[in-house]
Amino acid sequence: MQGVQVVPGTDNPVTTAEEAYEFCVKYGLPVMLKAAYGGGGRGMRVVQELGEVKESFRRASSEAEAAFGNGAMFIEKFIENPRHIEIQVLGDSAGNVVHLYERDCSVQRRHQKLVEVAPAPNLDQKIREAMAADAVKLCKSVNYANAGTVEFLVDSQGNYYFIEVNARLQVEHTVTEEITGIDLVQSQIRITEGMTLPELGMTQDKITAQGCAIQCRVTTEDPAKSFQPDTGRLEVFRSGEGMGIRLDGASAFAGAIISPYYDSLLVKVISRASDLHASASKMNRSLREFRIRGVKTNIPFLLNVLENQKFLNGTIDTTFIDENPQLFQFHPSQNRAQKLLNYLGNVLVNGPLTPLATGLKPAEIYAVIPETPAATDPPRGFKDILVAEGPEGFAKAVRNHKGLLLMDTTFRDAHQSLLATRVRTHDLLKISPYVAHNFNSLFSVENWGGATFDVALRFLHECPWERLEAMRKLIPNIPFQMLLRGANGVGYTNYPDNAVYKFCELSVKAGMDIFRVFDSLNYLPNLILGIDAVGNAGGVAEAAISYSGDISDPSRKKYTLEYYMNLADELVKAGTHVLCIKDMAGLLKPQAAKMLISSLRERYPDLPIHVHTHDTSGAGVASMLECAYAGADAVDVAVDSMSGMTSQPSMGAVVASLMGHDLDTGLDLDRISKYSAFWEQTRTLYAPFECAVTMKSGNADVYQNEIPGGQYTNLQFQAYSLGLGDQFEEVKKAYREANLLLGDLIKVTPSSKVVGDLAQFMVQNKLSAADVEEGAETLSFPKSVIEFMQGHLGEAYGGFPEPLRTRMLKGLPVVKGRPGATMAPMDFAAMKSDLIEEHGSKISDFDVVSSAMYPEVTNDFFNFRSKYGPVDKLDTRIFLTGPKVGEEFEVEIEKGKTLHIKTLAMSEDLNANGEREVFFELNGQLRSVMVRDQEAVKELHVHPKVTPGVKGQVGAPMPGTVVDVRVEVGDEVKKGSPLVVLSAMKMEMVVQSPCDGCVSSIDITKNMKLEGDDLILTVDPK
């Protein structure tokens, strides 16, 4: 009898690398190395080059040894680009053998089947019949009994080669059952009991194939990382079912532990329909309905396969995955609900994840939002004029307006001054529609810039750009205004010019209109850069003169009326659209306001004038009224419940004072009252940051210490945190002395920080001004003070104090002129590429600019958001201090998607990893998260994890066991050098060095069991 065609190969198992090498020299390449005592893709390697034979043999043999207890290998000639077709057979003890048609198993990687189809699409009927006949003939020749699979490779010319018989039921037997209607497991049992195939009604003429079936193996492997096995706890498991879907699973349930020491198969999903397209459609729907959280799965990859046109056309071979890299382009699952539960669990176990400034708790209230007309557009405002007529037309309209215009600072400076800038987008958006409908005549709403950018990313864990865009949708009719620190952007340092220009460009794109451009020293070159950047972006430039001193006091000789008028002349020449007096400390007394504004109005009758102040002394309303009477077009106010003290003057007070006057604002006091009531309630949610804890009223001593309103409360909090709370009066006194030591500065961020840092340094070290001057050469001053003296903020008016500057710097280099002028431009394309590599493809140009301003803070924000999801959607009390046990609440993660969450319980006992289990009910289903107790683990030995962003730290790419350590401390390594070999789920992986350098520490030993991201070793980069 003629045999079947086979692939050339070794007759017996090969046990040494040398034997493998000799075979390859004799028969040529490529070859396939296959484990002799097992399958499933383990211990298999394709070798293309002779120089790779021995190392590949050793790796494959080691895998086979670990998986099957024997490392012996078969070697056979490798058939290029074949289809993998297998025939299902059944035999009985009477010598009967039948086939149940074929399965196409060509979708595979590392020789592990992933998707199987029955019958094989587009297989020539003659080849199908010939292979089936050969399979039956082969099995009859050995009196084969029971179920088995005869496997073939089919090349592109239609030649087929027998490769092996699997004398067992295979994982993919399900698709054969679906198309034939024959229960293979039951048939095996009946045959074992002695029944024959005819007795079971299984003669070949009665076995037919109907429809098409597909099986997908859902595994706990990450296709984005070369299918690395993932392990851990199944936090969520929900399957996709329905007509035409069959699930064969094992231990897949919420709470199950996926171990690195067993197969990664989680569940088999089988679809059946009339044809390949219909079956693929059912499978697609089912997989999309799966929700698996806690471990990575290959579902995104499977979905790409099911939607691939080659697959749907049935024209694939075993190189399908390798030749279609687009299969690995995924839209990662957002997993928002589970991430939020992790955040809530962390807050419950470890306390607030954003630092709280006081011991007060957020109020347990929901602020009442005043009614706003539904489905109606808000009335026209100055934003409409700006859009229609541009910055110049806007400026004209402002000058032609008869009444006093107001800028509302409630959305930024008010809460910066009173609540440490902590008010969240979540609460700002609630009241935004009311503002749009009831205060359309406002000059602007200040809602961005200054400290809000930094605090949003650093402490509120939300994107400031998203805040701006969301508010613009709700307030389309009122101009938005922001604070721009000139050449410092929204940061505290200098940036290359193109960073400031790019920032302004994107700000306008995101919805910003008016830029109040200031410089902390009134340094003209820095101001002009900001004005130019705003102009280029198409925004309204509001150049600000930062006010200090007292022009109404003839004894104050530095900052005189003439100084301010000269500076105004330069700003007008630079092309400002609006001129602003920025009285950041509330030093502008009513008489001085009258002098300054009337002089400016006389000189510039057509230029809009806008005045900003703080109400620290309590004279803010009086000063703003004087500004209005003297010719100012707009002044800054805050809604009543967010006004006063270090905030802005009261909106209601200014409005009421001008009622019936020519300068009547036209705003309605009743509407202001409702607006104020909302903020009065909302303010109690931010009790942990309430300035009233340390500041009970305004204080006229600001005229002496000149502390800016936005800094005053922060300085108090800092003093308390440094243990200087009972010495705050001393801090204020030292602030005045520090200011004079530094040359009597214009004090606004960041120059105000310099003065504040020096003041606290003096109080901590019990230094007087004389002590500082005498000991300047020996004292270690705060970094901000040294950088100011070097000229990093620009040049102070009147120059730097000598000889103090020279003595402080001790020979350090100084910067002359505008600091940013000599800085190399930022490469935004390279920055974006780096950010995408580290944080994924969703990085936008806005994110790049955030990183340009605050690189470390932005990186931390991305990591936090990736770990905990959209925490900005949580109610404020829940966000700050977490829910109570038993509390039910809702979270709208996007329009139409609301999570209903109930906090159930938290375990008292720790597990071996120092974790507590926190239980929730999410949309009616039980969920739990494991949270490491940071206090408790201090007493436990827990293996360290890699720190995100630290170059040179090498973490375990997957959970597993250390098989081999190939380096020692002190070894020099190159990027890509092998460091450690790990084994997980019987697959080995070589961990490579991420950079050139020297191994400085090794945190693992051979045979140690690791979890994902456990620290392996550290390389000091070169």
Side-chain angles (χ1 to χ4, degrees):
M1 184 177 67
Q2 184 178 0
V4 297
Q5 178 69 35
V6 297
V7 178
T10 57
D11 295 326
N12 298 300
V14 173
T15 57
T16 68
E18 287 69 26
E19 290 179 80
Y21 187 82
E22 290 172 8
F23 177 89
C24 294
V25 170
K26 183 175 181 180
Y27 292 99
L29 296 168
V31 298
M32 169 78 80
L33 307 178
K34 299 173 63 176
Y37 290 90
R42 299 183 189 85
M44 296 184 76
R45 292 286 193 282
V46 175
V47 184
Q48 301 279 0
E49 302 290 339
L50 199 59
E52 299 173 354
V53 172
K54 292 184 178 181
E55 177 63 17
S56 295
F57 182 90
R58 280 191 284 267
R59 292 268 63 82
S61 180
S62 176
E63 276 185 20
E65 174 75 29
F68 312 118
N70 191 317
M73 310 294 292
F74 283 120
I75 306 177
E76 62 186 35
K77 189 74 174 172
F78 180 62
I79 307 299
E80 305 231 35
N81 303 340
R83 295 179 72 178
H84 187 153
I85 306 293
E86 57 188 35
I87 308 292
Q88 178 69 55
V89 296
L90 272 177
D92 62 21
S93 56
N96 300 303
V97 177
V98 295
H99 71 80
L100 283 74
Y101 299 94
E102 80 285 349
R103 302 185 285 258
D104 190 327
C105 305
S106 299
V107 181
Q108 52 185 256
R109 55 94 203 159
R110 291 209 301 262
H111 315 293
Q112 172 73 48
K113 302 163 190 171
L114 292 177
V115 179
E116 296 92 5
V117 182
N122 300 331
L123 183 65
D124 184 276
Q125 185 62 24
K126 290 181 180 179
I127 298 174
R128 173 181 283 115
E129 292 172 355
M131 280 197 297
D134 277 356
V136 171
K137 177 174 64 175
L138 180 65
C139 292
K140 281 187 173 181
S141 70
V142 294
N143 297 318
Y144 188 84
N146 229 307
T149 306
V150 183
E151 303 200 17
F152 297 90
L153 294 180
V154 183
D155 66 20
S156 56
Q157 284 76 45
N159 302 309
Y160 61 89
Y161 302 89
F162 165 72
I163 50 176
E164 64 182 359
V165 172
N166 269 300
R168 56 182 170 82
L169 206 59
Q170 290 199 270
V171 175
E172 61 272 19
H173 74 276
T174 57
V175 288
T176 297
E177 291 182 330
E178 291 300 313
I179 65 168
T180 62
I182 294 174
D183 185 333
L184 289 170
V185 175
Q186 184 187 62
S187 298
Q188 281 187 301
I189 296 170
R190 291 293 180 86
I191 291 169
T192 304
E193 290 173 342
M195 294 187 73
T196 65
L197 291 174
E199 289 173 339
L200 292 171
M202 294 184 196
T203 56
Q204 195 65 63
D205 61 316
K206 293 181 180 179
I207 300 172
T208 58
Q210 294 183 329
C212 175
I214 302 173
Q215 174 181 279
C216 287
R217 305 183 187 203
V218 176
T219 63
T220 57
E221 297 172 319
D222 186 356
K225 295 182 178 179
S226 301
F227 291 93
Q228 285 179 15
D230 197 18
T231 64
R233 180 175 174 272
L234 285 183
E235 296 174 342
V236 180
F237 182 84
R238 188 185 81 199
S239 57
E241 302 172 10
M243 181 178 176
I245 295 295
R246 166 182 168 182
L247 302 177
D248 281 16
S251 56
F253 56 88
I257 302 299
I258 305 301
S259 161
Y261 310 111
Y262 198 63
D263 195 277
S264 60
L265 180 62
L266 195 61
V267 61
K268 298 186 297 179
V269 185
I270 305 96
S271 65
R272 179 176 179 272
S274 58
D275 56 34
L276 178 61
H277 279 258
S279 189
S281 179
K282 283 184 180 289
M283 179 67 76
N284 192 314
R285 188 268 304 163
S286 173
L287 292 179
R288 289 189 182 279
E289 290 180 1
F290 268 78
R291 289 294 181 273
I292 300 173
R293 303 292 185 252
V295 295
K296 297 286 179 60
T297 74
N298 64 338
I299 287 179
F301 171 80
L302 294 173
L303 289 170
N304 283 352
V305 170
L306 292 166
E307 294 171 359
N308 183 275
Q309 202 57 48
K310 287 185 178 179
F311 175 82
L312 293 174
N313 291 339
T315 55
I316 57 171
D317 56 45
T318 55
T319 65
F320 171 65
I321 291 177
D322 295 331
E323 293 179 355
N324 288 275
Q326 71 272 20
L327 297 173
F328 294 90
Q329 296 173 2
F330 309 120
H331 297 290
S333 167
Q334 297 183 77
N335 196 12
R336 291 171 293 182
Q338 196 66 19
K339 288 178 179 180
L340 285 174
L341 293 184
N342 273 302
Y343 175 81
L344 296 170
N346 257 284
V347 175
L348 289 169
V349 172
N350 295 309
L353 297 190
T354 187
L356 306 185
T358 74
L360 296 180
K361 300 295 183 185
E364 295 183 31
I365 64 164
Y366 291 94
V368 177
I369 304 169
E371 288 186 15
T372 301
T376 60
D377 293 332
R380 284 173 55 84
F382 276 100
K383 170 68 174 177
D384 300 286
I385 296 173
L386 176 58
V387 171
E389 302 179 26
E392 290 77 12
F394 168 79
K396 270 188 189 176
V398 169
R399 265 314 279 137
N400 292 334
H401 185 79
K402 291 185 178 179
L404 177 67
L405 292 170
L406 302 180
M407 179 177 89
D408 181 14
T409 68
T410 308
F411 285 66
R412 193 202 70 83
D413 203 7
H415 72 84
Q416 176 171 328
S417 300
L418 299 178
L419 301 172
T421 327
R422 292 306 198 274
V423 174
R424 303 167 64 235
T425 302
H426 184 77
D427 294 312
L428 296 174
L429 296 181
K430 289 179 181 178
I431 196 63
S432 290
Y434 183 82
V435 171
H437 281 270
N438 292 280
F439 304 117
N440 60 296
S441 62
L442 287 173
F443 173 85
S444 63
V445 167
E446 190 199 30
N447 62 346
W448 218 55
T452 56
F453 205 92
D454 172 31
V455 172
L457 292 166
R458 188 192 302 265
F459 297 122
L460 304 183
H461 310 297
E462 61 182 52
C463 175
W465 300 98
E466 291 174 5
R467 172 183 294 190
L468 182 56
E469 291 176 325
M471 286 189 66
R472 175 47 78 206
K473 290 177 183 176
L474 298 177
I475 309 180
N477 56 335
I478 304 173
F480 285 170
Q481 183 151 343
M482 71 165 288
L483 198 57
L484 183 74
R485 295 168 178 153
N488 302 127
V490 287
Y492 303 104
T493 186
N494 291 296
Y495 301 98
D497 292 354
N498 72 326
V500 180
Y501 278 82
K502 190 69 173 178
F503 176 85
C504 292
E505 173 197 329
L506 292 184
S507 297
V508 170
K509 185 177 178 181
M512 185 47 59
D513 301 304
I514 307 170
F515 295 73
R516 178 174 286 166
V517 183
F518 77 99
D519 180 73
S520 66
L521 300 174
N522 279 344
Y523 182 52
L524 196 58
N526 280 351
L527 281 164
I528 290 174
L529 176 83
I531 294 169
D532 286 345
V534 172
N536 280 8
V540 177
E542 181 181 294
I545 299 173
S546 296
Y547 181 85
S548 190
D550 181 4
I551 61 172
S552 65
D553 181 354
S555 67
R556 304 288 295 270
K557 302 296 186 183
K558 185 168 186 179
Y559 300 111
T560 62
L561 179 60
E562 181 184 8
Y563 164 78
Y564 292 115
M565 295 302 292
N566 290 340
L567 189 53
D569 291 342
E570 296 300 323
L571 296 177
V572 173
K573 286 179 191 174
T576 188
H577 300 113
V578 180
L579 183 65
C580 173
I581 299 301
K582 179 174 167 56
D583 177 25
M584 54 281 170
L587 304 180
L588 188 65
K589 298 174 182 175
Q591 180 61 24
K594 182 178 180 180
M595 292 171 60
L596 180 56
I597 301 305
S598 59
S599 298
L600 289 170
R601 174 54 65 224
E602 183 179 354
R603 186 170 297 186
Y604 299 108
D606 299 324
L607 183 69
I609 298 174
H610 187 173
V611 185
H612 166 83
T613 193
H614 288 257
D615 200 24
T616 312
S617 70
V621 172
S623 292
M624 292 305 96
L625 291 174
E626 282 296 337
C627 289
Y629 300 146
D633 297 279
V635 299
D636 290 0
V637 294
V639 72
D640 304 7
S641 56
M642 291 289 286
S643 68
M645 296 197 291
T646 55
S647 178
Q648 278 64 57
S650 161
M651 177 188 289
V654 172
V655 168
S657 297
L658 292 174
M659 279 183 172
H661 193 278
D662 291 344
L663 297 174
D664 194 324
T665 63
L667 296 181
D668 184 82
L669 273 179
D670 185 56
R671 294 179 180 184
I672 293 172
S673 178
K674 292 177 181 177
Y675 183 33
S676 181
F678 168 82
W679 280 109
E680 187 169 11
Q681 291 180 313
T682 299
R683 185 169 172 174
T684 63
L685 296 172
Y686 296 92
F689 311 102
E690 179 58 71
C691 76
V693 172
T694 53
M695 184 181 186
K696 303 301 181 184
S697 67
N699 197 327
D701 69 0
V702 71
Y703 293 125
Q704 296 175 313
N705 55 56
E706 300 185 351
I707 301 173
Q711 184 185 27
Y712 196 101
T713 47
N714 284 335
L715 204 58
Q716 276 190 309
F717 286 136
Q718 287 172 9
Y720 274 77
S721 66
L722 293 171
L724 305 175
D726 57 349
Q727 300 180 61
F728 188 60
E729 289 302 315
E730 292 299 313
V731 172
K732 290 195 289 186
K733 180 183 175 184
Y735 191 98
R736 183 182 183 190
E737 293 179 349
N739 174 48
L740 295 174
L741 277 171
L742 296 171
D744 190 8
L745 302 181
I746 297 290
K747 292 169 289 299
V748 60
T749 308
S751 62
S752 56
K753 183 179 186 300
V754 175
V755 181
D757 288 352
L758 181 56
Q760 295 197 87
F761 173 77
M762 291 168 66
V763 174
Q764 272 186 305
N765 293 282
K766 298 180 172 58
L767 300 172
S768 66
D771 294 333
V772 171
E773 289 181 309
E774 290 173 13
E777 291 177 332
T778 59
L779 292 170
S780 297
F781 291 98
K783 181 183 177 185
S784 63
V785 177
I786 296 300
E787 290 182 345
F788 162 74
M789 287 294 198
Q790 287 181 284
H792 286 294
L793 299 186
E795 296 180 10
Y797 175 62
F800 294 96
E802 290 289 2
L804 183 62
R805 183 193 197 195
T806 301
R807 298 181 69 192
M808 274 188 173
L809 293 182
K810 309 178 187 72
L812 289 172
V814 297
V815 177
K816 293 185 178 179
R818 184 167 66 81
T822 56
M823 298 177 73
M826 285 187 171
D827 186 341
F828 297 117
M831 289 174 64
K832 188 170 188 177
S833 177
D834 291 344
L835 287 169
I836 288 173
E837 183 177 348
E838 188 167 355
H839 298 289
S841 60
K842 287 192 174 181
I843 295 296
S844 68
D845 291 341
F846 297 108
D847 295 325
V848 174
V849 172
S850 293
S851 183
M853 294 287 134
Y854 292 99
E856 290 185 13
V857 172
T858 301
N859 190 62
D860 290 344
F861 164 70
F862 290 146
N863 290 331
F864 189 98
R865 183 171 61 180
S866 174
K867 183 175 182 180
Y868 293 121
V871 297
D872 57 308
K873 307 301 182 187
L874 295 167
D875 284 338
T876 294
R877 177 178 61 83
I878 303 290
F879 167 76
L880 292 175
T881 56
K884 296 179 178 180
V885 172
E887 182 174 1
E888 297 184 48
F889 54 97
E890 292 185 342
V891 184
E892 186 178 27
I893 54 176
E894 67 177 72
K895 192 169 184 178
K897 287 190 177 181
T898 301
L899 307 177
H900 184 88
I901 300 173
K902 182 177 181 179
T903 312
L904 297 178
M906 178 171 64
S907 66
E908 293 185 7
D909 296 330
L910 296 172
N911 66 14
N913 293 321
E915 296 170 324
R916 298 189 190 279
E917 189 168 9
V918 186
F919 298 88
F920 298 93
E921 187 180 279
L922 176 69
N923 294 340
Q925 293 189 334
L926 179 66
R927 291 210 186 175
S928 68
V929 294
M930 303 299 295
V931 179
R932 181 165 290 178
D933 188 321
Q934 299 300 334
E935 282 298 315
V937 295
K938 292 177 182 177
E939 302 175 11
L940 300 173
H941 174 71
V942 179
H943 195 91
K945 298 282 187 181
V946 288
T947 304
V950 177
K951 190 175 182 181
Q953 284 195 354
V954 181
M958 61 182 185
T961 303
V962 179
V963 176
D964 190 16
V965 181
R966 296 190 174 183
V967 292
E968 296 179 354
V969 173
D971 285 357
E972 295 285 334
V973 294
K974 295 288 186 184
K975 183 176 181 179
S977 297
L979 303 173
V980 172
V981 181
L982 297 181
S983 174
M985 294 181 180
K986 303 171 185 176
M987 181 193 80
E988 293 192 355
M989 170 171 286
V990 178
V991 180
Q992 299 174 319
S993 176
C995 58
D996 294 352
C998 177
V999 178
S1000 60
S1001 64
I1002 298 177
D1003 295 83
I1004 48 91
T1005 57
K1006 192 173 180 180
N1007 298 321
M1008 180 181 283
K1009 291 177 171 54
L1010 301 177
E1011 296 179 5
D1013 293 326
D1014 276 357
L1015 184 62
I1016 292 177
L1017 53 78
T1018 302
V1019 176
D1020 285 339
K1022 281 191 174 180

